[in-house]
C-alpha cells in the first residue's frame, strides 16, 4: 500500500507543465522540469540577481514571440553600445571597454558573440599573464609605449576632429613665454 505522502510527491513531480511552459513544450522547445515551488524559490534566492535574470530570460524565450522580440532587443542594444564604443576608440575614454561590453550584451542571445567574447577573454588573459611574467623594466617600457600611443591618438583626434594642434600650441607657448 502506498502512503499518502509518497503519492502526493509522485503527483507533484509528475504533473504536466502549466501555462507558457506547456505551450513551449508543445511547440518543441526544451523546458526544464521544476521540482516544486519551494525549490524554485530557493534557487532564485540562491542565484541572486543573475538567477532572476536567467529565469526571466527563460520565460521570455519560452514564448516564440518573446524569443524574437528578445533577439531584436538584444541585437539593437548591443549594436548601440558597440557603435558608441567604436566611436570612442580614437578618443580618450572607455572605447574598447564599451565594445567588449556590447559584445557581452550580444552574447546573451547570439552564439557567435559568445564565442568571440570567449576568444577575447582568452587573449586578454594570455596577454596579462605574459606582461606580468616580464621584468619590471620591460613592463615599464610597455607602459611607456602604451602611454605614447594614447598621447598620439589624443593629439590626432583633437587636431583632425576639432582643429586643435596641441603640439603647435605648446611650441608657440614655449617660444613666447
Amino acid at each position: 500500500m502506498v502512503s499518502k505522502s509518497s503519492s502526493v510527491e509522485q503527483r507533484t513531480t509528475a504533473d504536466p507543465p502549466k501555462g507558457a511552459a506547456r505551450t513551449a513544450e508543445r511547440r518543441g522547445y526544451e523546458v526544464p522540469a521544476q521540482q516544486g515551488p519551494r525549490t524554485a524559490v530557493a534557487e532564485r534566492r540562491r542565484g541572486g540577481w543573475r538567477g532572476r535574470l536567467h529565469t526571466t530570460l527563460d520565460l521570455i524565450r519560452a514564448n516564440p514571440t518573446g524569443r524574437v522580440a528578445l533577439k531584436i532587443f538584444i541585437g539593437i542594444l548591443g549594436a548601440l553600445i558597440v557603435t558608441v564604443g567604436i566611436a570612442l576608440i580614437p578618443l580618450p575614454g572607455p572605447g574598447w571597454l564599451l565594445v567588449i561590453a556590447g559584445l557581452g550584451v550580444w552574447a546573451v542571445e547570439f552564439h557567435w558573440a559568445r564565442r568571440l567574447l570567449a576568444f577575447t577573454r582568452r587573449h586578454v588573459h594570455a596577454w596579462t599573464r605574459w606582461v606580468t611574467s616580464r621584468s619590471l623594466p620591460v613592463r615599464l617600457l610597455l607602459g611607456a609605449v602604451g602611454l605614447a600611443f594614447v598621447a598620439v591618438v589624443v593629439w590626432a583626434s583633437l587636431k583632425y576632429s576639432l582643429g586643435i594642434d596641441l603640439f603647435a600650441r605648446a611650441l608657440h607657448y614655449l617660444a613666447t613665454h
Side-chain angles (χ1 to χ4, degrees), residues 91-120:
L91 301 173
W96 282 111
L97 186 63
L98 284 175
V99 170
I100 292 171
L103 196 59
V105 169
W106 275 337
V108 168
E109 269 307 302
F110 301 107
H111 186 66
W112 61 267
R114 211 170 297 128
R115 285 191 323 244
L116 186 57
L117 190 60
F119 172 83
T120 304

Side-chain angles (χ1 to χ4, degrees), residues 70-83 101-102 105-106:
L70 183 65
K71 276 194 182 287
I72 291 170
F73 175 74
I74 293 294
I76 291 172
L77 181 65
L80 183 67
I81 294 171
V82 168
T83 303
V105 169
W106 275 337

Side-chain angles (χ1 to χ4, degrees), residues 41 66 79 86 136 141 153:
V41 170
I86 288 173
L136 185 60
L141 178 67
V153 167

Side-chain angles (χ1 to χ4, degrees), residues 42-72:
E43 284 176 7
R44 188 175 66 214
R45 284 187 188 148
R46 203 172 33 232
W49 67 272
R50 284 185 164 196
R52 286 192 301 274
L53 178 65
H54 284 290
T55 302
T56 303
L57 291 175
D58 287 340
L59 286 172
I60 292 170
R61 289 181 187 122
N63 182 344
T65 305
R67 179 182 298 257
V68 171
L70 183 65
K71 276 194 182 287
I72 291 170

Side-chain angles (χ1 to χ4, degrees), residues 8-175:
V8 169
E9 286 175 16
Q10 288 174 353
R11 195 173 342 119
T12 57
T13 58
D15 282 345
K18 296 179 180 167
R22 183 177 55 230
T23 305
E25 209 171 64
R26 214 179 316 128
R27 293 182 178 169
Y29 297 106
E30 185 177 330
V31 177
Q34 291 184 351
Q35 296 296 323
R38 281 198 169 153
T39 306
V41 170
E43 284 176 7
R44 188 175 66 214
R45 284 187 188 148
R46 203 172 33 232
W49 67 272
R50 284 185 164 196
R52 286 192 301 274
L53 178 65
H54 284 290
T55 302
T56 303
L57 291 175
D58 287 340
L59 286 172
I60 292 170
R61 289 181 187 122
N63 182 344
T65 305
R67 179 182 298 257
V68 171
L70 183 65
K71 276 194 182 287
I72 291 170
F73 175 74
I74 293 294
I76 291 172
L77 181 65
L80 183 67
I81 294 171
V82 168
T83 303
V84 169
I86 288 173
L88 291 178
I89 286 173
L91 301 173
W96 282 111
L97 186 63
L98 284 175
V99 170
I100 292 171
L103 196 59
V105 169
W106 275 337
V108 168
E109 269 307 302
F110 301 107
H111 186 66
W112 61 267
R114 211 170 297 128
R115 285 191 323 244
L116 186 57
L117 190 60
F119 172 83
T120 304
R121 282 182 181 157
R122 239 185 355 262
H123 283 73
V124 166
H125 287 304
W127 169 255
T128 305
R129 277 193 309 273
W130 182 83
V131 168
T132 55
S133 70
R134 303 295 152 212
S135 65
L136 185 60
V138 171
R139 286 188 280 174
L140 289 174
L141 178 67
L142 288 170
V145 168
L147 284 174
F149 175 75
V150 169
V152 168
V153 167
V154 168
W155 170 78
S157 62
L158 286 175
K159 181 176 180 177
Y160 295 112
S161 63
L162 299 176
I164 302 170
D165 190 358
L166 290 178
F167 190 68
R169 285 190 180 198
L171 286 177
H172 178 69
Y173 178 80
L174 290 174

